[in-house]
Amino acid sequence: MIKILKYSFSDLMRSKWSYIYLAFYLVLGFVLLFLNNDISKAIITLMNLVVVLTPLIGTIFGIMYFYNSREFTELLLAQPVSRSKIFLGQYLGIALSLSLSLVLGLGVPFLIYGLFQSTEIFNFMMLLVSGAFLTFIFVALSVLIGLYNSNKIKGFGYAILMWLFLAVIYDGALLIAMVIFRDYPLDNLALVTSFFNPIDLSRIMILLKLDISALLGYTGALFQKFFGTNTGYVVSMLILLLWVVGPVVIMLQKSKSKDF
């Protein structure tokens, strides 16, 4: 598995798209810090981009790599190597390479601007951790979609629809439901529904870490009461971890019965 991971990782790191992804975050970090000249404001701006853009990139890279490496995967399947090791190695190679591009792309500008001398270092770390979690989650979901759909067009369409649903439609549907049933106590429901969307969960964690929960209105007080505690952060991290482990386990089970 380690050899497959190394090959997938190095293959993606040599790709021009990985360099474009890295350069995008590098330029974005320098521009935001130059315009704001305030690390805290730059982190707030980046939060809105990272929680939406990172899942999209993870989805696109995951589904494209799965289909483009199909012939290589079939070659590996002909070797005395278990299917679990093949797909787990490829998955980790994709997710780690994208996470590294994210960490380096955002880390270098902030380090140059004196992140370690700032009180925002833990907030920045929360941003990177959330971005890495979202990368691992959406790469796993996109590979899982690829395993269930041999047709490239269908697979790519389902993957984009999955990202669109979690990034946009989910929040819209939840907002409409809360408006329709506004006469009922829905605060606890809003808290629970955030667990079913890793993008929402990551956004709320970062917002509360930045101590700007007032932007969430009355519901923000409920989120602050739960997510603002150490127990809340531990539970949130465990839920994000489940979002990673769940699709990976299903992916490995599906790979064993997949007819290539």
Side-chain angles (χ1 to χ4, degrees):
M1 187 190 78
I2 301 298
K3 290 183 178 180
I4 299 172
L5 190 158
K6 288 181 178 179
Y7 174 82
S8 300
F9 181 83
S10 61
D11 185 36
L12 278 169
M13 291 309 295
R14 290 195 302 266
S15 171
K16 66 177 181 179
W17 293 110
S18 295
Y19 290 110
I20 293 174
Y21 187 49
L22 173 63
F24 171 79
Y25 277 122
L26 273 173
V27 173
L28 182 63
F30 279 119
V31 169
L32 288 177
L33 288 169
F34 176 76
L35 294 176
N36 291 311
N37 200 24
D38 186 335
I39 292 180
S40 178
K41 293 181 180 178
I43 292 176
I44 294 174
T45 304
L46 280 173
M47 181 269 296
N48 295 313
L49 293 173
V50 168
V51 296
V52 175
L53 185 61
T54 301
L56 176 61
I57 298 299
T59 299
I60 293 176
F61 267 78
I63 196 72
M64 287 180 63
Y65 187 86
F66 175 83
Y67 286 124
N68 290 338
S69 62
R70 186 184 180 102
E71 294 181 358
F72 175 68
T73 302
E74 292 175 352
L75 178 63
L76 290 176
L77 291 172
Q79 308 302 316
V81 184
S82 68
R83 291 190 171 201
S84 299
K85 292 182 179 180
I86 294 173
F87 285 96
L88 186 60
Q90 290 182 336
Y91 160 70
L92 291 176
I94 302 169
L96 287 173
S97 63
L98 292 177
S99 298
L100 181 61
S101 297
L102 171 68
V103 172
L104 290 179
L106 293 180
V108 171
F110 279 82
L111 288 176
I112 293 176
Y113 270 79
L115 177 65
F116 286 117
Q117 286 74 43
S118 172
T119 58
E120 301 293 329
I121 182 171
F122 293 108
N123 296 336
F124 182 71
M125 292 299 296
M126 175 63 72
L127 179 69
L128 292 184
V129 170
S130 299
F133 263 117
L134 289 174
T135 299
F136 275 82
I137 290 169
F138 279 83
V139 169
L141 290 173
S142 62
V143 172
L144 185 60
I145 290 173
L147 282 170
Y148 275 94
N149 296 275
S150 299
N151 187 293
K152 292 183 180 181
I153 298 177
K154 283 186 177 181
F156 194 83
Y158 288 147
I160 295 298
L161 184 61
M162 177 266 300
W163 168 82
L164 186 64
F165 174 78
L166 292 176
V168 181
I169 300 175
Y170 186 91
D171 286 341
L174 181 60
L175 181 61
I176 292 173
M178 293 187 72
V179 170
I180 294 175
F181 300 101
R182 60 183 178 274
D183 295 330
Y184 298 90
L186 299 176
D187 294 337
N188 290 326
L189 178 63
L191 178 63
V192 173
T193 53
S194 65
F195 295 150
F196 294 97
N197 189 339
I199 296 179
D200 277 353
L201 184 58
S202 299
R203 182 186 291 114
I204 292 170
M205 288 173 59
I206 298 171
L207 281 172
L208 296 177
K209 189 67 177 175
L210 292 171
D211 198 25
I212 51 178
S213 57
L215 295 176
L216 298 175
Y218 172 73
T219 310
L222 180 66
F223 288 155
Q224 180 68 52
K225 184 178 179 180
F226 177 78
F227 290 105
T229 63
N230 292 331
T231 303
Y233 277 112
V234 171
V235 172
S236 302
M237 287 296 179
L238 288 176
I239 292 174
L240 286 177
L241 186 60
L242 285 175
W243 266 102
V244 177
V245 174
V248 170
V249 171
I250 299 174
M251 176 184 70
L252 296 180
Q253 291 297 322
K254 177 61 179 177
S255 67
K256 294 178 182 179
S257 59
K258 174 70 173 178
D259 185 11
F260 287 90

